[in-house]
Amino acid sequence: MALDFSSYSEENLQAILKEFKIEAKVYSFNSLTAGYINDTFLVMNQGTPLYILQRVNHEVFVNIEGLMTNVTSALKQLKSSHYSQISLVAASTGKSYAKLDASYWRLMTYIPNSTTFNTTTDTDIAFEAGRIIGRFHSLLGREIPANYKETIPKFHELELRKMQFLAALARATNTKKKIANDATNFVTVMLEKLATMGTAEPPQRICHNDTKLNNILFSKANKKALCLIDLDTIMPGYFHYDFGDAVRTIVNTAPEDEQNHSKITFEEKLFEAFVNGLAANDAFLSSEETKALPYGVILMPFLHGIRALTDYLNNNVYYKVSYENQNLDRALSLFNFTKKALAKLDYMETVISRHLPQSN
Ligand code: GN1
Ligand code: MG
């Protein structure tokens, strides 16, 4: 269920902070509202940001223990001179999170002078995004998928999202069904199309599973990418998931819920910069993984679109929304991008085969 930010007072947050092993100082809070799932606060001392405090949405993430074990295991590997390190601050119980009543909270170190971008028109940012995602995967490349929990089972599986959509459609009011008619028709057409596009299953690896552009931290000083954030969905997956999620937010210079579809773009120069950024790492992808990449760029926006449409039909029970029809706007916008990406399939294949080296 969407949570109300105003439900936390400064006093509540101070009390939550006392559950963690940090110096006793006067802390103040700013709420960060970009996420659709968790409640996130920047913790400051005398105006200097020091920590990120988050309440993990327990309705979405049922297995918090598993989630935190995944994050802890990944953070052990994500150590490198070219990758900024985020640390979890232990709770006084010694655990990596604190449980207060029915809520789960965690505290992470803040990386100074960092920033995020919701969208970009800058090829340097697109390159850096590719470079850091490649770095993340290279550092996690030896992790064994079976050692990680699947914290949201079948998270990016189309079949599950299709079933959830059909169930929501069956329950929706006639009014909603009518408003969502165009979107629903697109789903039918795309499901048929995707069924003919499936490639051979590549091997699984540990993925981030939410590699949208604003989950990458950049240095404020020189626009270098620092690391990936929002590690909740780290679990086994396919590289084309992370590729598709990044591409949909990088080559489209409009936001995910853009209502003016003429602003939704697939900028080729941003795509090429992103692929070149990935290629700046040592080759880490197998040929099966490389082959699936253009498919990922169709699958991911479509999948997020179906999920948003399903939540619209379900009356906004999963994602936080800032206005009633935001989920529908997200679905329509993501579907529009899906169409634009479909027209670039051959182009993507050419760029990938020219610029991205394979490890086998
Ligand atoms: C959700 O809350 P946030 O922004 O990290 C969602 C992602 C979507 C994203 C935006 C667990 O992530 O899958 O990409 O919204 N996360 C979950 O579309 O459902
Ligand atoms: Mg996320």
Side-chain angles (χ1 to χ4, degrees):
M1 182 67 74
L3 280 154
D4 180 7
F5 267 98
S6 58
S7 58
Y8 304 108
S9 68
E10 173 101 18
E11 253 181 347
N12 288 153
L13 295 170
Q14 296 287 5
I16 293 156
L17 217 50
K18 292 220 167 68
E19 299 291 318
F20 292 91
K21 292 183 189 168
I22 53 169
E23 245 183 272
K25 285 185 186 168
V26 182
Y27 294 105
S28 60
F29 306 88
N30 255 359
S31 91
L32 302 178
T33 54
Y36 289 104
I37 306 289
N38 296 328
D39 298 338
T40 309
F41 300 90
L42 184 63
V43 182
M44 294 167 300
N45 171 243
Q46 297 185 332
T48 306
L50 295 179
Y51 303 102
I52 298 284
L53 176 67
Q54 270 192 318
R55 177 188 183 276
V56 185
N57 185 328
H58 187 31
E59 285 173 38
V60 167
F61 296 105
V62 182
N63 179 3
I64 306 264
E65 191 75 40
L67 180 161
M68 293 307 290
T69 309
N70 284 354
V71 173
T72 308
S73 307
L75 285 176
K76 274 190 201 141
Q77 306 303 319
L78 293 170
K79 287 183 180 165
S80 147
S81 51
H82 303 289
Y83 197 94
S84 299
Q85 209 188 330
I86 296 176
S87 310
L88 284 160
V89 179
S92 14
T93 56
K95 281 192 180 268
S96 56
Y97 60 89
K99 183 168 186 251
L100 279 116
D101 303 321
S103 294
Y104 293 81
W105 292 86
R106 66 168 169 227
L107 190 68
M108 285 157 295
T109 50
Y110 176 83
I111 300 195
N113 300 317
S114 61
T115 189
T116 56
F117 301 104
N118 290 326
T119 55
T120 192
T121 52
D122 185 339
T123 50
D124 292 344
I125 298 288
F127 178 93
E128 277 298 303
R131 191 188 56 78
I132 208 74
I133 289 175
R135 190 95 204 114
F136 174 94
H137 276 277
S138 302
L139 291 170
L140 289 175
R142 289 181 172 201
E143 292 296 89
I144 298 161
N147 291 346
Y148 283 69
K149 306 275 175 308
E150 203 187 348
T151 49
I152 304 184
K154 304 181 192 290
F155 189 44
H156 291 323
E157 272 187 30
L158 191 54
E159 192 54 30
L160 170 74
R161 300 310 181 183
K162 173 183 154 186
M163 299 318 285
Q164 290 174 334
F165 164 71
L166 291 176
L169 192 63
R171 283 191 305 258
T173 60
N174 284 336
T175 319
K176 281 214 151 176
K177 275 194 239 181
K178 210 166 155 196
I179 298 173
N181 192 42
D182 285 354
T184 304
N185 287 341
F186 184 72
V187 170
T188 312
V189 173
M190 262 320 281
L191 283 173
E192 273 172 29
K193 197 169 196 78
L194 281 170
T196 66
M197 275 181 70
T199 48
E201 290 246 298
Q204 285 209 323
R205 57 165 74 237
I206 296 307
C207 288
H208 180 283
N209 290 303
D210 194 11
T211 44
K212 46 185 189 164
L213 179 61
N214 66 7
N215 275 338
I216 298 172
L217 276 193
F218 287 85
S219 154
K220 264 186 196 164
N222 58 12
K223 293 196 296 189
K224 284 268 167 210
L226 300 173
C227 62
L228 269 64
I229 54 170
D230 186 14
L231 307 177
D232 293 328
T233 45
I234 286 189
M235 59 181 154
Y238 300 115
F239 184 75
H240 64 265
Y241 294 163
D242 279 2
F243 184 82
D245 243 349
V247 169
R248 77 176 176 88
T249 52
I250 289 169
V251 307
N252 177 10
T253 57
E256 190 176 291
D257 57 357
E258 178 60 60
Q259 292 177 51
N260 178 351
H261 291 183
S262 68
K263 289 189 179 163
I264 296 172
T265 64
F266 187 115
E267 287 281 348
E268 294 189 352
K269 63 180 194 326
L270 293 170
F271 181 78
E272 282 155 45
F274 174 73
V275 170
N276 285 336
L278 274 180
N281 294 278
D282 288 342
F284 63 95
L285 293 173
S286 67
S287 59
E288 296 104 298
E289 286 177 303
T290 309
K291 229 175 263 155
L293 297 182
Y295 170 73
V297 178
I298 311 299
L299 175 71
M300 294 313 289
F302 178 61
L303 199 98
H304 285 304
I306 290 203
R307 291 178 60 199
L309 180 59
T310 303
D311 202 37
Y312 168 77
L313 296 169
N314 283 338
N315 300 319
N316 309 324
V317 291
Y318 184 90
Y319 295 110
K320 289 181 197 170
V321 287
S322 42
Y323 58 93
E324 175 60 26
N325 281 5
Q326 190 183 16
N327 269 316
L328 181 63
D329 288 341
R330 281 180 60 217
L332 290 168
S333 163
L334 284 155
F335 289 163
N336 185 278
F337 178 77
T338 307
K339 275 184 226 160
K340 287 173 178 159
L342 268 173
K344 301 282 180 182
L345 272 173
D346 291 344
Y347 160 79
M348 287 192 273
E349 233 170 74
T350 310
V351 172
I352 289 163
S353 67
R354 262 193 215 146
H355 296 267
L356 198 61
Q358 288 162 26
S359 63
N360 66 1

